[in-house]
Amino acid sequence: MGHDKAWLPFGPGETMLERVVRLVSEVVPADRIVCVAAEGQKIPCLPGWVRLVRDREPYLGPLSGLGTGLSVLERDADAVFVTGCDVPLLVPAVVARLFDLLGEDEIAVPHDGERYHPLAAVYRTSVRSYAESLLAAGERSLVSLIERCRSRTVPLDALRDIDPNLSSLANCNTPDDYQLALLACGFPT
């Protein structure tokens, strides 16, 4: 992208990270929102109720970030929604639906028939031990965790009634993605 995506402006007075936190907070209690950042990474000013924690080990990717976040929340929550900072079109009802679909499983993850969407999924806090054992074995993939745990694969059609364009799964990975997301919200580019 050429820039730290968390800092990209998204509408008047809001960065992309601030927007994602605001959208998640429509479903998740404020005291259970955690932002995991790299050591030394500067983060936009977030509401005081957001807990900011730093990855324990650098460069280990989202599996490590998940483990760090779960370690902070395991006493407060049974399950958590995990997302990146680059999904400004997230539909809060999708978050609620994934929590509802979790049932007795350990993970509820959208799947398009070919690939998982592990950064738009609900994880039980109890999977932290699996994440840590995978990291200790040199694994960094969230898909490895999904395959190791009791996971509910959520077909995308189970989300289309509340998110017809599946925008909750659309990451802004390129400048074009970012421009399209701004346009989708009616913001000038």
Side-chain angles (χ1 to χ4, degrees), residues 18-183:
E18 290 168 315
R19 179 180 174 86
V20 171
V21 166
R22 178 175 54 77
L23 293 170
V24 169
S25 73
E26 292 180 24
V27 177
V28 175
D31 64 339
R32 294 188 182 161
I33 295 180
V34 171
C35 178
V36 179
E39 192 63 45
Q41 180 182 7
K42 293 185 179 186
I43 296 295
C45 186
L46 295 173
W49 39 263
V50 174
R51 289 186 260 182
L52 177 64
V53 296
R54 303 291 177 167
D55 268 328
R56 289 178 250 159
E57 295 287 327
Y59 312 114
L60 293 182
L63 184 61
S64 177
L66 173 67
T68 299
L70 292 177
S71 70
V72 172
L73 287 168
E74 65 188 346
R75 290 189 185 111
D76 301 328
D78 177 54
V80 301
F81 175 73
V82 175
T83 189
C85 71
D86 60 351
V87 287
L89 304 179
L90 178 69
V91 174
V94 168
V95 177
R97 172 77 49 88
L98 290 169
F99 274 111
D100 290 344
L101 292 172
L102 181 61
E104 297 299 316
D105 292 303
E106 294 172 304
I107 300 171
V109 58
H111 189 265
D112 64 13
E114 293 183 22
R115 70 181 197 97
Y116 293 105
H117 294 272
L119 289 178
V122 171
Y123 297 80
R124 291 213 182 273
T125 53
S126 60
V127 304
R128 182 174 78 104
S129 60
Y130 295 120
E132 289 176 352
S133 67
L134 286 168
L135 286 165
E139 182 60 59
R140 295 183 183 182
S141 168
L142 283 170
V143 172
S144 294
L145 180 66
I146 291 165
E147 291 172 346
R148 183 171 187 177
C149 294
R150 198 174 59 253
S151 299
R152 177 175 301 239
T153 300
V154 178
L156 300 189
D157 285 342
L159 305 174
R160 284 192 195 276
D161 65 316
I162 53 177
D163 188 359
N165 298 321
L166 300 171
S167 58
S168 298
L169 307 178
N171 303 78
C172 290
N173 291 322
T174 68
D176 286 343
D177 294 342
Y178 173 55
Q179 296 300 318
L180 288 171
L182 287 168
L183 286 172

